Amino acid sequence: MTDRTRVRRLPERGVYERDAANAILDEALVCHLGFVVDGEPYVIPTLCARCGDVVYVHGSAASRMLRAIIDEPVCLTVTLVDGLVLARSAFHHSANYRSLVVFGRPRLVEEEAEKLRALEAFSEQLVAGRWVDVRPPTTKELRATKVLALPLVEFSVKRRTGPPLDDDADYALDVWAGVVPLRLAAAAPVADPRLRPGIEPPSYATDYLR
Ligand SMILES: Cc1cc2nc3c(=O)[nH]c(=O)nc-3n(C[C@H](O)[C@H](O)[C@H](O)COP(=O)(O)OP(=O)(O)OC[C@H]3O[C@@H](n4cnc5c(N)ncnc54)[C@H](O)[C@@H]3O)c2cc1C
């Protein structure tokens, strides 16, 4: 923990262990990257993938965000919303969640082998098992893709679980209270209209689970 990663409000919800951070990153599809360019703050949603002790972000080599943040300070966040917490008072409504905040300076991944590993990690993060089924990137496609690595060193995790926490007097109220759990669920896959006939959807598409 550092001074800037110390959770101030409800500090008992703060966790600083790598396993907790890894678990959030491995479940997430999307992170938000915060950075400052010419004094203006930006927070941009993007895909992320963890490999060991780094988080990768990637995109077009022309991306303004990716060019702007190489070796510059960023703040990456991930949020998983686990439930809606319905209290007896409007005031005590809340959410159950797991969230992660990472500070650091992303480095440009230049070595081709690491870049390929990172791209495989992105593919696997989205759909486990997909990478081996698809055409691998060409040299031209690799050149058109920027990959940045943010070390998982300075971070905090915050978690809320459990029922609402109402004021004592409000437990006597005739109002339903509890949690509506939320989860990300996939619907049936929709085939590409240009799919060649006779190709069945793979099980990682028909039975997609996160
Ligand atoms: C889905 C969701 C909904 C939320 N809704 C609200 C809301 O409506 N109102 C509200 O005030 N707060 C909300 N929070 C909590 C919010 O993220 C902050 O934790 C909270 O504002 C307290 O910040 P602070 O002043 O203690 O910390 P700050 O001084 O803002 O932060 C200090 C450090 O603590 C760490 N930190 C703070 N919050 C988090 C976090 N969530 N996850 C990981 N690390 C963290 C960071 O490293 C940060 O640099 C919500 C969080 C989530 C995930």
Side-chain angles (χ1 to χ4, degrees):
M1 193 209 310
T2 61
D3 190 50
R4 65 176 172 174
T5 58
R6 186 165 53 79
V7 173
R8 266 96 178 157
R9 249 185 62 67
L10 304 169
E12 67 282 5
R13 293 184 183 166
V15 180
Y16 306 92
E17 282 141 27
R18 176 64 67 72
D19 285 354
N22 288 352
I24 291 173
L25 280 164
D26 294 350
E27 191 171 326
L29 289 172
V30 173
C31 70
H32 287 79
L33 257 175
F35 54 96
V36 175
V37 177
D38 296 333
E40 291 287 335
Y42 297 85
V43 178
I44 303 291
T46 190
L47 298 172
C48 58
R50 182 184 73 86
C51 240
D53 53 8
V54 298
V55 189
Y56 290 114
V57 291
H58 79 325
S60 158
S63 154
R64 192 273 306 261
M65 173 183 81
L66 294 179
R67 281 186 283 122
I69 65 177
I70 297 168
D71 298 325
E72 295 294 330
V74 301
C75 178
L76 178 147
T77 67
V78 177
T79 310
L80 303 174
V81 181
D82 293 325
L84 304 174
V85 179
L86 277 55
R88 291 158 183 83
S89 63
F91 182 80
H92 283 297
H93 276 67
S94 188
N96 282 339
Y97 60 80
R98 289 159 290 150
S99 56
L100 169 70
V101 172
V102 187
F103 295 101
R105 291 173 185 259
R107 76 176 155 82
L108 179 64
V109 173
E110 293 184 276
E111 199 214 341
E112 191 169 311
E114 185 184 1
K115 204 169 182 182
L116 265 175
R117 265 201 316 278
L119 295 178
E120 179 174 355
F122 274 106
S123 177
E124 290 299 294
Q125 175 99 12
L126 294 180
V127 187
R130 183 68 175 161
W131 183 254
V132 292
D133 283 354
V134 297
R135 173 180 68 69
T138 61
T139 308
K140 189 174 166 214
E141 286 169 342
L142 278 181
R143 263 205 308 273
T145 308
K146 246 193 187 67
V147 177
L148 269 56
L150 179 65
L152 258 177
V153 174
E154 190 178 359
F155 64 87
S156 58
V157 166
K158 194 171 176 184
R159 302 190 280 215
R160 187 201 189 282
T161 57
L165 300 171
D166 271 308
D167 294 341
D168 278 345
D170 287 342
Y171 283 89
L173 291 174
D174 202 11
V175 176
W176 188 88
V179 172
V180 180
L182 297 179
R183 66 186 160 87
L184 194 63
V190 179
D192 181 345
R194 293 184 58 178
L195 187 73
R196 281 178 40 219
I199 303 179
E200 292 305 316
S203 59
Y204 50 67
T206 52
D207 306 331
Y208 187 83
L209 271 181
R210 284 206 83 70

